[in-house]
């Protein structure tokens, strides 16, 4: 037995060392690009996990494989195996050692989690999720944008809300993910560190458009960020005309499902809307006027366009102010004329 | 043909259709215009289940009791019916019910697996090829829930067939309840199938508010799962009562076969936690049908006037995961029990650390109740809860590890042989190991913020479920096949099955995990080619087809051998377990005389047998 | 005349059969208590320290009715254990009446089916409505099944079933009834007593 033990031990230790070392040093193969300080912390612990997975897997499988080879029954050997019933000391060891490992993992998890959830922040971005698009509001600068632009080196606090169902805010390169839940505000903190273009990807099943619920993300230098802010503020000034404001709102809230080029998406295209005749699913027809457009936005289930599913959210009445709604309707009335 | 029409199954299905039609008809009479609206649909679904119950004969004995009619238990086909008839009708013999469960499980896994092939083909390259998003979302949820129903019925199959035999009883504690628990699954599954056609988009987890807003298929989905859960609860009552009340003379708790221990632990979970998934699903249905906003944060004007607080989406997740996490241990504990049961037989030596293995099952089950929040690390749950749930979650690794190390101890110094069941046991061990080890990264909250809802998780749970259920279940089928049918399966086909399935499985699971790490989200019909996962996805799809092919070989082996296999001996594996001490297939009343336990269950090479058959009157009555 | 044990299972002697049955019943009640605990958890999760204005008199009345009914159910069981069939039948019937009164109270007044201008709280009224109707609804359903079960043993008892030695059916129904009452003992304070009443209006 001692001979077997030494041999198996040697096999297991070398296998565990080899696999563990590979998992640890080849870690970059397993994970995508990294673009945030928080991600550094996540990756650090993940690397420890990978090392442990590789090592423990090698340990158990090493012993099993050795047994399969060394203790296979030889032909015409009909004797029973060794009459071993157990071993209290071993049981104790293989309870306590894993216990120590998992307690340490938890401790590291706490340490990292506290770091990730520190509440200090240099910039706040409100993230508004809805089926199937994202909107970003910068309350400090009074900007609303369909694109997320953040500067490097500043800790950004994301305040997440949802208009309809649960969505989840995730940028792979930031690592961090947090759900946007209707009826509550949730938080995530990210300090971008690598300039580049990324994507917000919705990570919670939210309906038919879930797969393509993206928003563009740009991480830029602080100077470029300031320039962008100034540019946006200027644009917002100019967009004082209702129609231009309406177009912005359209891009943020409606473009996920409606186009302005005549091609249908989730819902019908909205160009040349005013005055056209629409067939409803009960066979009747309506001529589109301002009242119909308003109703379609505020109470979309009231009249369903033939050939489309009744999936347009009924929440815009809450999301849009009176002014916003007017601007949007103004825009739609002239769109594609 | 005449006989087919009189089987309980056919009568039940007709009853279900009639019940459904009656529901639709009455709803119309009360002024509903569309039967697919939530109210009429829910009403019709409930009536349809009642219709099945009445028509199939599963409650007729109980109804008879009310009239003072105490019929003896039904065993065997009635006069004039062929032998197969009892397998398609209500019969109280636990072995028949076990086989009914077992075949149902294979059918469900087959259906859900076929659906997996459909959506896997869609995923093999980026872009939307042939599945509309709404159809895709329905299919993945259906795949998930039907697989889970398949696992639950598979677990019940093993429990029903084996527990009474292993404790030396003639039947379960409550044979009628047992039949009821099996048959109630059928209308439940029919409802879930209806959901497939009416569509719903939430996946198997059914989260509101999406679950409240999505297509009408949600109603039969929630209700069907509720009914299947009800079956689990009743099954658990029966198994615990059998294990505690029906043991043979001399079988102390620590002399029970280890599989019975694992079923005790499993049943503790199924008995209690299942209520909460049932509750959460019923509450969503109430919200859809009556507008009772448990989960949606919207308030009506009159609610505002009352000052009522709003509903909360997270409440559902707490209720749901309070079951659905422990449920994953329902999936694996029986499987781990099978591994512990078979290793000593094929190593020809005692189970290493029997008591530790038994207690580890209980520990996994009990700690499993305290960890549900690890599915909600990103949900917006409070930070304190997240950290607490991390500590408890990681603790589960300890008793699971104890099992692994005791298995290694069991193999050490044995005389190992490798027929097909043993191959699947070893496969299970290694696959469950990688599945289990991929758990702790999800369990530490900081890394889960990255991993949550990616294909890493998909890889994690396919590995745990294959290793913890699919492989052990297959091993159990091969191992007890001679006991059940009286014939031997074909060993060559069995080995081909194993050697096709195992590499394919590893490809699938590791491919999923890696794709997830590279950024592939779960539950998406279309993915971003920029992530670079297209190659992995193709590999996973091909692997899935190979798994399916290997399972077809398995199906062929099972069917063919039942007719053409070699006639099996009473104890082909030289096992000490009581069921192997009687002829194959097991006779109707199981044992010729009361069973008396005289030594330890796994004393291979020891001088005494585990059980003997007492002669004379039952001494077991105390 | 068939006695219950000949049904109740093939080869087990009555005493052992009864023990196994007890296992089954209590396990089932443990299971049910998880469901009710889930409902209570939902109440505390959604309402926290608030509650809607409910009719206190009605609440107290319903609670008393149910508690008294438990007393009579117990009497019925003791009676059959002493082979006192008439007393058993009387007490069981009284329990049925009280249970029905409870149901009528909940459905007729709390749910407003008998009130001329409907209930003051509707199921659609936010978490208040949902929880009140949810909890009372689940409980009322169990009361209903309990009433039906008592009726069943009453009916069998009238036809001469059950004896001092063999009355598992009565015991089971009685235990179930006490359980359903016990649940109300938790529900009543959770709905009617704990928390601040939110002032109506804004
Ligand atoms: C059979 C089913 C099964 C089993 C057994 C497990 C076991 C475990 N699971 Fe898994 N899990 C699922 C099925 C299962 N899981 C499913 C279906 C989901 C997704 C649900 C959905 O969203 O649809 C999921 C999701 C899931 C999540 C949520 C992920 C997310 O959505 O973000 C988490 C997080 O903690 C988790 C953790 C664990 C852990 C820690 C274990 C542990 O029990 C594992 C313990 C085992 C070992 C660790 C290996 C053996 C141990 C040793 C050899 C000892 C030494 C080891 C150490 C010291 C580490 N699982
Ligand atoms: C037991 C559980 C189980 C099993 C075995 C499987 C098996 C498979 N699963 Fe599944 N899966 C789940 C449980 C399971 N899955 C769950 C719970 C989800 C989550 C759903 C959700 O997100 O809501 C999921 C989700 C899921 C996804 C993620 C979908 C998404 O998020 O977009 C994917 C993608 O690749 C996938 C693929 C597969 C594949 C290719 C198989 C292959 O292994 C299938 C191969 C085929 C078979 C195993 C069947 C063969 C059987 C026969 C041919 C019958 C033989 C008949 C007799 C013997 C009589 N599954
Ligand atoms: Cu939004 Cu998925
Ligand atoms: Cu879990």
């Amino acid at each position: 037995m001692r001979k077997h033990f030494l041999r198996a031990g040697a096999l297991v230790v070398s296998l565990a060392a080899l696999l563990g070392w590979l998992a640890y040093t080849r870690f970059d193969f397993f994970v995508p690009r990294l673009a945030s300080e928080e991600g550094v912390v996540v990756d650090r612990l993940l690397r420890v996990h990978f090392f442990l997975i590789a090592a423990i897997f090698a340990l158990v499988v090493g012993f099993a494989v050795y047994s399969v080879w060394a203790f296979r029954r030889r032909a015409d050997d009909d004797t029973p195996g060794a009459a071993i019933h157990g071993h209290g000391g071993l049981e104790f060891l293989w309870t306590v050692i894993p216990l120590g490992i998992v307690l340490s993992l938890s401790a590291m998890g706490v340490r990292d989690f506290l770091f990730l959830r520190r509440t200090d922040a240099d910039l706040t971005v409100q993230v508004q999720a809805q089926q199937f698009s994202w909107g970003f509001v910068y309350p400090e600068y009074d900007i609303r944008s369909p694109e997320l632009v953040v500067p490097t080196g500043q800790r950004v606090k994301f305040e997440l809300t949802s208009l309809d169902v649960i969505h989840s805010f995730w940028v792979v390169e930031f690592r961090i993910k947090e759900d946007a839940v209707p009826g509550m505000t949730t938080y995530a903190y990210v300090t971008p560190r690598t300039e580049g273009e990324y994507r917000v990807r919705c990570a919670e099943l939210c309906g038919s458009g879930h797969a393509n619920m993206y928003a563009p993300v740009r991480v830029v230098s602080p100077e470029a960020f300031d320039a962008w802010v100034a540019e946006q503020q200027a644009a917002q000034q100019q967009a004082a005309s209702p129609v231009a404001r309406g177009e912005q709102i359209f891009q943020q809230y409606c473009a996920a499902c409606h186009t302005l080029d005549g091609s249908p998406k989730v819902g019908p295209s909205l160009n040349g809307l005013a005055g056209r005749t629409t067939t409803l699913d009960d066979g009747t027809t309506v001529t589109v006027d301002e009242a119909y457009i308003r109703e379609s936005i505020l109470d979309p289930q009231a009249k369903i366009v033939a050939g489309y599913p009744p999936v347009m959210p009924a929440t815009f009445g809450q999301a849009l102010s009176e002014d916003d709604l007017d601007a949007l309707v103004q825009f739609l009335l002239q769109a594609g004329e | 043909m005449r006989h087919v029409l009189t089987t309980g199954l056919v009568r039940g299905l007709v009853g279900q259709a009639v019940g459904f039609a009656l529901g639709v008809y009455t709803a119309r009479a009360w002024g509903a215009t569309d039967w697919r609206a939530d109210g009429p649909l829910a009403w019709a679904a409930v009536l349809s289940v009642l219709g099945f119950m009445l028509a199939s004969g599963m409650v007729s004995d109980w109804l008879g009791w009310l009239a003072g009619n105490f019929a003896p238990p039904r065993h065997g086909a009635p006069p004039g019916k062929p032998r197969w008839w009892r397998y398609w009708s209500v019969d109280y013999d636990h072995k028949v019910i076990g086989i009914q469960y077992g075949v149902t499980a294979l059918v469900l896994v087959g259906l859900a697996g076929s659906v997996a092939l459909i959506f896997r083909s869609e995923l093999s390259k980026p872009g939307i090829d042939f599945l509309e998003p709404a159809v895709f979302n329905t299919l993945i949820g259906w795949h998930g829930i039907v697989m889970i129903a398949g696992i639950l019925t598979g677990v019940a199959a093993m429990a029903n067939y084996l527990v009474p035999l292993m404790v030396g009883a003639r039947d379960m504690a409550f044979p009628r309840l047992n039949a009821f628990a099996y048959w109630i699954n059928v209308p439940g599954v029919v409802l879930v199938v209806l959901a497939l056609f009416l569509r719903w988009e939430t996946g198997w987890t059914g989260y509101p508010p999406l679950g409240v807003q999505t297509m009408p298929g949600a109603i039969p989905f929630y209700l069907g799962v509720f009914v299947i859960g009800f079956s689990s609860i009743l099954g658990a009552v029966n198994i615990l009562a059998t294990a505690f009340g029906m043991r043979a003379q001399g079988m102390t708790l620590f002399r029970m076969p280890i599989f019975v221990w694992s079923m005790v632990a499993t049943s503790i979970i199924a008995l209690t936690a299942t209520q909460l998934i049932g509750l959460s699903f019923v509450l969503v249905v109430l919200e859809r049908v009556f507008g009772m906003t448990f989960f949606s944060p919207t308030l009506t004007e009159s609610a505002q006037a009352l000052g009522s607080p709003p509903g909360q989406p997270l409440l559902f997740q707490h209720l749901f995961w309070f079951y659905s996490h422990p449920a994953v241990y329902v999936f694996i504990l029986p499987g781990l029990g099978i591994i512990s049961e078979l290793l000593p037989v094929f190593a020809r030596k005692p189970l290493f650390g029997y008591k530790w293995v038994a207690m580890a099952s209980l520990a996994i089950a009990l700690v499993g109740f305290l960890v549900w929040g690890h599915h909600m690390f990103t949900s917006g749950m409070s930070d304190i809860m997240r950290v607490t749930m991390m500590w408890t979650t990681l603790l589960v690794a300890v008793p699971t590890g104890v099992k692994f190390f005791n298995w290694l101890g069991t193999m050490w110094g044995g005389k190992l042989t490798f027929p097909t069941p043993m191959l699947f046991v070893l496969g299970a061990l290694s696959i469950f190991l990688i599945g289990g080890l991929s758990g702790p990264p999800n369990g530490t909250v900081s890394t889960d913020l990255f991993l949550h809802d990616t294909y890493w998780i998909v890889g994690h749970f396919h590995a745990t479920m294959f290793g913890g259920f699919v492989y052990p279940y297959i091993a159990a089928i091969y191992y007890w096949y001679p006991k059940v049918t009286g014939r031997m399966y074909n060993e060559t086909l069995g080995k081909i099955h194993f050697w096709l399935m195992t590499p394919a499985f590893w490809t699938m699971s590791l491919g999923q995990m890696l794709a997830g790490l590279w950024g592939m989200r779960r539950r998406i019909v279309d993915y971003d080619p920029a992530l670079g996962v297209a190659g992995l996805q193709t590999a996973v799809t091909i692997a899935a087809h190979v798994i399916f092919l290997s399972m077809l070989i398995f199906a062929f082996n099972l069917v063919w051998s039942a007719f053409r296999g070699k006639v099996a001996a009473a104890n082909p594996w030289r096992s000490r377990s009581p069921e192997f001490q009687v002829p194959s297939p097991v006779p109707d009343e199981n044992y010729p005389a009361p069973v008396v336990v005289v030594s330890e269950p796994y004393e291979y090479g020891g001088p005494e047998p585990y059980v003997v058959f007492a002669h004379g009157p039952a001494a077991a009555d105390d | 005349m068939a006695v219950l044990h000949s049904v109740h299972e093939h080869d087990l002697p009555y005493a052992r059969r009864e023990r196994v049955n007890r296992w089954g019943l209590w396990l089932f009640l443990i299971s049910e208590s998880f469901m009710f605990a889930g409902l209570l958890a939902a109440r505390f999760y959604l309402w926290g320290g608030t509650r809607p204005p409910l009719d206190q008199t009605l609440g107290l009345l319903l609670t008393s009715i149910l508690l008294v009914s438990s007393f009579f159910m117990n009497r019925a069981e003791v009676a059959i254990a002493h082979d006192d069939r008439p007393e058993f039948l009387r007490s069981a019937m009284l329990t049925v009446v009280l249970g029905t009164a409870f149901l009528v109270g909940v459905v007729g007044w709390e749910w407003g089916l008998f009130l001329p201008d409907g209930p003051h709280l509707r199921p659609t009224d936010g978490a208040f409505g949902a929880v009140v109707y949810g909890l009372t609804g689940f409980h009322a359903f169990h009361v209903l099944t309990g009433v039906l079960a008592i009726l069943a043993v009453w009916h069998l008892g009238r036809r001469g079933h059950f004896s001092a030695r063999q009355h598992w059916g009565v015991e089971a129904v009685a235990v179930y009834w006490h359980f359903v009452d016990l649940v109300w003992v938790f529900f009543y304070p959770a709905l009617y007593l704990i928390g601040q009443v939110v002032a109506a209006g804004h």
Side-chain angles (χ1 to χ4, degrees), chain B residues 204 328-329 332 374-375 401 442-443 448 452 457 460-461 464 522:
Chain B
W204 82 279
V328 307
Y329 299 126
I332 57 149
H374 66 217
H375 295 271
N442 323 338
D448 188 58
H452 174 69
I457 305 292
H460 156 73
F461 66 71
T464 48
R522 282 176 76 178

Side-chain angles (χ1 to χ4, degrees), chain B residues 56-67:
Chain B
S56 63
M58 62 200 269
V59 290
S60 52
D61 276 14
W62 288 332
L63 294 180
W65 290 5
L66 296 182

